[in-house]
Amino acid sequence: MDDMLKTPADGTRLRILAWLGEPDTAGRGLTADDVAARLGVPRTAALAHLRLLTSLGLLRLTGQDDDPRYHRDEIRLAEVTQLFEKGW
């Protein structure tokens, strides 16, 4: 739970979640390479953000091991949103 509260000041993880909510990416998901290119960072930095979001249950993986795609877990996001709306 502590990791969930460690948000970067620049909002990188929120941007990743927002991109994954866009209609054109929601269905197909994003790869680590997609995220790295969009953020303009090394793949390892993108993977660090994606792994944290996945470990928190906010993202889920689909696809082959050699080409995993990240998708939002809408149920978990709704649960977390509800917690914060209640003033948790």
Side-chain angles (χ1 to χ4, degrees):
M1 191 61 73
D2 290 339
D3 287 337
M4 187 179 295
L5 301 176
K6 293 179 186 173
T7 57
D10 66 1
T12 300
R13 293 180 196 125
L14 290 175
R15 282 199 313 256
I16 292 169
L17 290 171
W19 293 335
L20 285 165
E22 293 174 359
D24 58 330
T25 56
R28 66 178 167 82
L30 294 172
T31 65
D33 290 331
D34 294 335
V35 173
R38 201 154 177 186
L39 291 175
V41 299
R43 186 176 191 274
T44 54
L47 274 171
H49 290 295
L50 292 166
R51 286 181 179 143
L52 177 63
L53 291 167
T54 301
S55 72
L56 294 171
L58 301 176
L59 298 181
R60 58 184 170 76
L61 284 169
T62 62
Q64 305 288 339
D65 288 339
D66 58 338
D67 187 33
R69 295 194 164 269
Y70 294 83
H71 302 267
R72 289 173 26 148
D73 185 325
E74 297 297 340
I75 294 171
R76 178 69 175 142
L77 283 167
E79 292 169 352
V80 170
T81 299
Q82 188 176 28
L83 284 173
F84 282 101
E85 285 176 350
K86 287 183 176 181
W88 171 70

